[in-house]
Amino acid sequence: MGIFRTVLMNAAGVQKEEPKKGSYEWKREHMTPEQLARTADNKEKYTGIPAIPVDIGYHGGKNVGGAQQTGVMSNAASNPGVILGMGLTTAALLGMFKSSFVGDKLGAQKMMQYRIMAQFFTVTALVAGVTIFGATYEDEEHAQK
């Protein structure tokens, strides 16, 4: 048990609870001296943290189950129109802020209109990307049959 937890539990008036039967702590209390010596030698090798399989942890190139590798760059490459639209929207917002701070009401109004156009472009690119993906997607299981 950690020092902080021990102090906190003592301050709260809670007595140390017995480890559950079959747990790591319970097994350590009931080991023979020979078993304890072996465990002390292998302490770094056998921790309480489960090992990550090599094919998953180090990208072994095997097709394993679970979530697919995703990332911002791979998603951006699949639909660059959305990234372009987000950039245009951000530029229009920054221009709107600049015009507002300077006091140019007509410029701020124009930038608000540009922002709406850029957002329309972004949503259109997003919907088009989803539509194209849906039309070209082939399930690997059905393709093999």
Side-chain angles (χ1 to χ4, degrees):
M1 194 180 311
I3 295 171
F4 181 72
R5 182 175 175 193
T6 306
V7 170
L8 185 66
M9 297 297 249
N10 288 339
V14 178
Q15 298 297 322
K16 183 179 176 186
E17 58 190 45
E18 291 296 317
K20 294 181 182 176
K21 186 174 183 178
S23 69
Y24 179 74
E25 290 83 14
W26 182 84
K27 287 178 183 176
R28 284 194 54 91
E29 288 178 3
H30 293 87
M31 282 184 183
T32 63
E34 295 84 27
Q35 291 173 329
L36 277 173
R38 266 185 289 159
T39 326
D41 294 339
N42 296 330
K43 189 166 184 82
E44 291 82 28
K45 188 174 179 182
Y46 299 108
T47 63
I49 302 171
I52 299 174
V54 174
D55 57 348
I56 296 172
Y58 298 105
H59 305 291
K62 298 177 184 172
N63 190 8
V64 296
Q68 293 292 328
Q69 182 79 13
T70 61
V72 174
M73 294 309 291
S74 63
N75 290 336
S78 66
N79 197 351
V82 173
I83 302 300
L84 177 66
M86 288 171 52
L88 291 173
T89 304
T90 304
L93 272 172
L94 292 174
M96 184 186 72
F97 288 146
K98 180 183 175 237
S99 297
S100 295
F101 290 137
V102 172
D104 182 14
K105 291 183 180 181
L106 291 176
Q109 187 69 28
K110 198 56 130 170
M111 287 295 170
M112 286 184 201
Q113 292 173 358
Y114 290 150
R115 179 190 58 86
I116 291 171
M117 288 184 240
Q119 284 180 320
F120 177 75
F121 174 78
T122 305
V123 171
T124 304
L126 185 63
V127 170
V130 168
T131 305
I132 291 170
F133 175 77
T136 59
Y137 178 75
E138 290 183 14
D139 193 11
E140 292 178 10
E141 292 179 9
H142 292 112
Q144 292 175 356
K145 290 180 181 178

